[in-house]
Amino acid sequence: MLDTNANIAIVTIDGPDKNFLNPDVMAQVGADLLAADKDVSVSAILLTGAGDAFCGGLDLASIRAGGDPIVFARSLAVLLKIFPKLTKPVAAAVNGDAVASGASIVAACDYAVTVPSAKIGSYEVSVGVWPMVAQVPLIARMGTKVAMENIGSGEPFTAQRSLEVGLVSRIVEPAALIASASEWLILASRGGAANAGRVFFYELAEMSYEDGLDAALDKFAAQFKK
């Protein structure tokens, strides 16, 4: 579902049960993100979940019932690759549990606000699966030591622990969730066209210190060219 309010596009993860991810659901979320990014009337993107869950991760039951794991994994990788290429700020409003690949989506967003009751993180080890794809954004967001604390144990973080390790930025009551995430988006969208620098921000994160400084020179100068 794609809705706009105050120039903020609201993209909703709307899947079966706890918003489990299957290829169709992931394709829809990706299409909504890209549509919002291309819409000139949209200044920022807010991502949340339908009902009382944010996202329960990949639909493992469907995979075990005969679904092709490669198709599911590839669909997740395609979706996660979209986030660093968006030219508009994106925030997660974590309205309930965001586990497994749902946690990786939270990690891929620029900013996240959560309700106090939410569990956020990987649980796959507890059911005999290693989150091969979902771990990538979690490692990038939290670093190897903290990510392993979660991934290696298969125990999702509480909202408080998620705040402590930087997986989310604020904890608010459910009634304030959308407004809180929107507050940051309004601030982040003030750069207008300059927010295309968001893409370079994520490219920069993969570079060495010196290479990053060198690459930044032309990017800085380009902002002042007419």
Side-chain angles (χ1 to χ4, degrees):
M1 182 178 70
L2 181 62
D3 191 16
T4 56
N5 182 35
N7 300 114
I8 296 173
I10 301 176
V11 175
T12 303
I13 303 170
D14 192 355
D17 198 3
K18 299 177 181 180
N19 295 324
F20 287 128
L21 299 173
N22 58 44
D24 289 340
V25 172
M26 289 184 276
Q28 185 63 61
V29 173
D32 287 347
L33 289 170
L34 292 171
D37 198 45
K38 293 177 182 177
D39 189 335
V40 295
S41 69
V42 169
S43 60
I45 304 168
L46 188 151
L47 182 63
T48 193
D52 59 3
F54 181 81
C55 178
L58 290 183
D59 190 347
L60 295 182
S62 291
I63 295 174
R64 285 173 168 153
D68 188 340
I70 293 296
V71 173
F72 277 75
R74 184 180 294 116
S75 296
L76 177 60
V78 168
L79 174 59
L80 293 174
K81 285 179 181 180
I82 289 172
F83 286 87
K85 296 177 182 177
L86 296 171
T87 61
K88 295 170 183 174
V90 56
V94 184
N95 57 307
D97 288 353
V99 293
S101 300
S104 71
I105 291 173
V106 174
C109 291
D110 300 324
Y111 184 85
V113 180
T114 186
V115 296
S117 62
K119 300 291 186 182
I120 307 173
S122 170
Y123 72 83
E124 288 92 327
V125 163
S126 69
V127 295
V129 177
W130 193 272
M132 296 298 182
V133 179
Q135 68 185 333
V136 175
L138 292 169
I139 294 169
R141 179 64 65 187
M142 298 186 293
T144 55
K145 187 174 182 63
V146 176
M148 182 57 81
E149 176 188 336
N150 164 228
I151 294 168
S153 69
E155 289 294 320
F157 290 143
T158 62
Q160 182 58 43
R161 183 59 176 153
S162 298
L163 180 66
E164 293 169 356
V165 300
L167 190 51
V168 302
S169 300
R170 293 185 70 184
I171 302 172
V172 299
E173 292 302 318
L177 182 68
I178 299 299
S180 180
S182 297
E183 285 175 6
W184 183 84
L185 287 172
I186 290 168
L187 294 175
S189 63
R190 289 178 295 177
N195 278 331
R198 176 190 182 280
V199 176
F200 180 60
F201 174 91
Y202 286 104
E203 292 174 355
L204 196 63
E206 303 299 321
M207 298 182 191
S208 71
Y209 186 76
E210 289 194 4
D211 287 347
L213 288 172
D214 290 341
L217 297 177
D218 288 340
K219 296 285 187 182
F220 179 76
Q223 296 182 100
F224 299 92
K225 294 179 180 178
K226 296 183 178 179

